[in-house]
Amino acid sequence: EIVLTQSPGTLSLSPGERVTLSCRASQRVSRHYLAWYQHKYGQAPRLLIYATSTRATGTPDRFSGGGSGTDFTLTISRLEPEDFAVYYCQQYGSSPLYSFGQGTKLEIK
Amino acid sequence: EVHLVESGGGLIQPGGSLRLSCAASGFSVSGEYMSWVRQAPGKGLEWVSVIYSGDNTYYADSVKGRFTLSRDYSQNTLYLQMNSLRAEDTAVYYCARNPLYYYDSSGYPPYFDSWGQGTLVTVSS
């Protein structure tokens, strides 16, 4: 079973700052099968990045994804007020078929 | 525009049954890969089940044997039949679409590109 561990659990930052979120897998994940989501309270989750580094339709270019093997990152180059939310990484292909990290919460400092 | 609307959630006693619906618009559920994902209170996202284009279904171990995923092409709706419900099934349930991602001449459904707003299921006596 692949376990995704995200760090840190919570980050307190100010608008305009740059942030990199980490997602570490317990086993190798194909770069085709790693995605990132943004989730705000009371709303549907939103796909940001798929295939490790491809931005989904409508994702601003301040969001970028990277990594390979067991270590993946999501970087926000300059935080906007609407970016404060919970972010999840997600893998496909190994038992369980789909799994998510536990999430990283970005909160306003 | 793709739109997914879940319904059918509510308060149910442990051991009871509930059927969730997910009405789709803007695309046809037939031939699409579709999933249910849930979020328990204070917890993260957990994948529950997926139906493939050939109607093969797969389940998380936590719900296998208790939940059944199906779809009605005429209603363009996805369903999740939940039996033998437990307190730990309490969550907001989202339906989501899994588009095919192609590489090496094959298509795979590795992510969720459209989500509904969710429906809350509370299992409690």
Side-chain angles (χ1 to χ4, degrees), chain A residues 32-33 37 39 44 88 90 92 98, chain B residues 39 52 101 103 109-110 112 116:
Chain A
H32 298 288
Y33 296 161
Y37 301 83
H39 194 197
Y88 294 94
Q90 173 253 317
Y92 162 80
Y98 301 87
Chain B
Q39 183 178 35
Y52 277 14
Y101 168 81
Y103 74 96
F112 311 90

Side-chain angles (χ1 to χ4, degrees), chain B residues 27-32 51-56 70-79:
Chain B
F27 73 103
S28 173
V29 299
S30 64
E32 290 278 355
I51 187 165
Y52 277 14
S53 59
D55 283 346
N56 289 334
S70 63
R71 55 187 160 194
D72 184 328
Y73 297 162
S74 65
Q75 299 295 317
N76 208 31
T77 298
L78 190 71
Y79 299 102

Side-chain angles (χ1 to χ4, degrees), chain B residues 61-88:
Chain B
D61 287 345
S62 57
V63 307
K64 200 174 295 182
R66 300 188 299 123
F67 290 12
T68 302
L69 175 51
S70 63
R71 55 187 160 194
D72 184 328
Y73 297 162
S74 65
Q75 299 295 317
N76 208 31
T77 298
L78 190 71
Y79 299 102
L80 186 68
Q81 177 67 42
M82 304 186 297
N83 299 330
S84 303
L85 282 162
R86 306 166 180 168
E88 54 265 35

Side-chain angles (χ1 to χ4, degrees), chain A residues 4-106:
Chain A
L4 299 179
T5 302
Q6 293 185 241
S7 60
T10 303
L11 270 172
S12 297
L13 296 166
S14 301
E17 288 193 84
R18 177 188 178 92
V19 62
T20 296
L21 310 184
S22 172
C23 175
R24 177 161 290 178
S26 59
Q27 301 173 43
R28 182 187 175 279
V29 174
S30 167
R31 66 186 326 274
H32 298 288
Y33 296 161
L34 196 288
W36 290 90
Y37 301 83
Q38 178 191 68
H39 194 197
K40 297 181 181 180
Y41 182 77
Q43 297 185 19
R46 172 192 175 192
L47 174 69
L48 292 176
I49 301 280
Y50 64 93
T52 297
S53 59
T54 303
R55 279 187 288 272
T57 302
T59 300
D61 60 8
R62 63 180 180 274
F63 290 88
S64 61
S68 64
T70 60
D71 292 293
F72 299 88
T73 59
L74 174 70
T75 298
I76 309 173
S77 61
R78 188 183 62 256
L79 281 167
E80 297 288 339
E82 62 267 28
D83 298 337
F84 291 90
V86 180
Y87 291 84
Y88 294 94
C89 59
Q90 173 253 317
Q91 70 85 30
Y92 162 80
S94 295
S95 178
L97 198 52
Y98 301 87
S99 60
F100 293 86
Q102 82 279 19
T104 290
K105 181 180 180 181
L106 287 187

